[in-house]
Amino acid sequence: MVAAIKRRLEALETRTLGGFVPWVRIIQHEGESEAEATAAYEAEHGPIGESNSILRVIIRKPGCHV
């Protein structure tokens, strides 16, 4: 199931559908700020476009609720 979701998210990130903008998935780990997570993504994949939609995934330890 996780592999299927990962494939679907990767397809969303790379696909452009006439008028729709591509998605960017940023994974933010526990203790990491939004800016740090965004910088890590951009270091690996290049700059995020102004018109890109961002899906932010925040990873926390089980049982840790904010």
Side-chain angles (χ1 to χ4, degrees), residues 14-61:
T14 58
R15 181 172 46 172
T16 56
L17 301 171
F20 291 97
V21 295
W23 284 85
V24 174
R25 178 185 54 187
I26 297 177
I27 298 174
Q28 181 179 339
H29 296 279
E30 184 175 9
E32 186 176 40
S33 70
E34 279 189 26
E36 291 169 332
T38 301
Y41 177 89
E42 289 181 331
E44 186 174 340
H45 302 284
I48 298 170
E50 290 293 320
S51 62
N52 285 49
S53 295
I54 297 175
L55 171 64
R56 189 169 299 275
V57 179
I58 301 173
I59 308 294
R60 295 203 196 318
K61 290 182 183 176

